[in-house]
Amino acid sequence: MILMIDLMLHKQKAYRHLLYNVLNQQTLKFEGLHWKLAIIYFIFDACIHLYVEARNSSSLVSTCCKVHTYVFMYVVFGNIMFLLTFFIMVKIFLNASINISRFNDLLLTIMISCYFKIFLIAMMVWEFPTSVIFIIELFCLSSNAVALNVMTESSMSRCVWACFGAYAVKLFVTQVLDLRFLEQLIKGWIQMSSSS
């Protein structure tokens, strides 16, 4: 419990203890842990997009029809772009070499440090404004920066810029996809109404 409180306070000692002592490569099956964390991460990201769409849409049918689109386009493609940008920014800003072992460590660091997304469960129970999603994403960004700082032992400003760049690209890509999907949806409605 104390470790969780220290993680929420963004203490570097807590991240160092979690990443180096608790999650020891010799004691854990990393492949299973990566898959489990990735699935949880994708589910929480899908919940974010579905929650926002449900708040903006008046029809439950339109939300249910978009489940496949959201999960594939926004969550998978957005997170792939996030990870690619993140690793490129780490390479550029932190001058770090990225081999397979380092890649696995950084991937685990990013997924573990996004533990703030668990607070999205409260949004499913209680009514919160959509600005809470923005606050949770900011907490994830700052947590990612602290965890990256612990892993790379680089300056905090460079770690913040690397994480911020990755989040900015993810936001840009998902917003562009949202506009294109909306455009295609409107064209489909126009074609359906003209054929009727």
Side-chain angles (χ1 to χ4, degrees), residues 51 55 123 126-134:
Y51 181 79
R55 298 276 313 242
M123 292 182 73
W126 296 290
E127 195 71 27
F128 285 109
T130 54
S131 61
V132 173
I133 294 172
F134 179 69

Side-chain angles (χ1 to χ4, degrees), residues 1 5 15 36 49-50 59 61 67 75-76 104 108 127 130 138 142 157 168 170 175 182 194 196:
M1 188 67 179
I5 293 170
Y15 281 96
K36 290 174 188 174
H49 291 293
L50 291 175
S59 169
V61 175
V67 168
V75 176
V76 174
N104 284 336
L108 183 67
E127 195 71 27
T130 54
L138 281 176
S142 63
S157 62
K170 179 182 175 183
Q175 293 302 316
L182 184 63
S194 65
S196 298

Side-chain angles (χ1 to χ4, degrees), residues 3 18 21 33 47 60 63 82 96 124-126 140 142 179:
L3 179 64
L18 178 68
N21 297 339
L33 184 63
C47 287
L60 183 63
T63 304
F82 170 76
M124 295 176 198
V125 178
W126 296 290
C140 288
S142 63
L179 292 175

Side-chain angles (χ1 to χ4, degrees), residues 74-99:
Y74 297 99
V75 176
V76 174
F77 188 68
N79 283 310
I80 287 172
M81 291 303 296
F82 170 76
L83 288 174
L84 286 175
T85 307
F86 175 76
F87 288 120
I88 290 169
M89 298 293 259
V90 165
K91 181 80 173 154
I92 292 171
F93 279 119
L94 307 178
N95 298 325
S97 63
I98 300 178
N99 54 19

Side-chain angles (χ1 to χ4, degrees), residues 6-7 9-13 15-16 86 89-90 93-94 109 113 138-165:
D6 285 343
L7 287 173
L9 293 173
H10 292 342
K11 292 191 176 182
Q12 289 185 354
K13 288 182 181 180
Y15 281 96
R16 194 170 290 113
F86 175 76
M89 298 293 259
V90 165
F93 279 119
L94 307 178
T109 300
S113 62
L138 281 176
F139 277 130
C140 288
L141 183 136
S142 63
S143 178
N144 287 342
V146 172
L148 183 62
N149 185 12
V150 167
M151 286 298 289
T152 61
E153 297 176 358
S154 185
S155 70
M156 182 58 97
S157 62
R158 289 177 180 251
C159 294
V160 168
W161 278 111
C163 293
F164 179 76

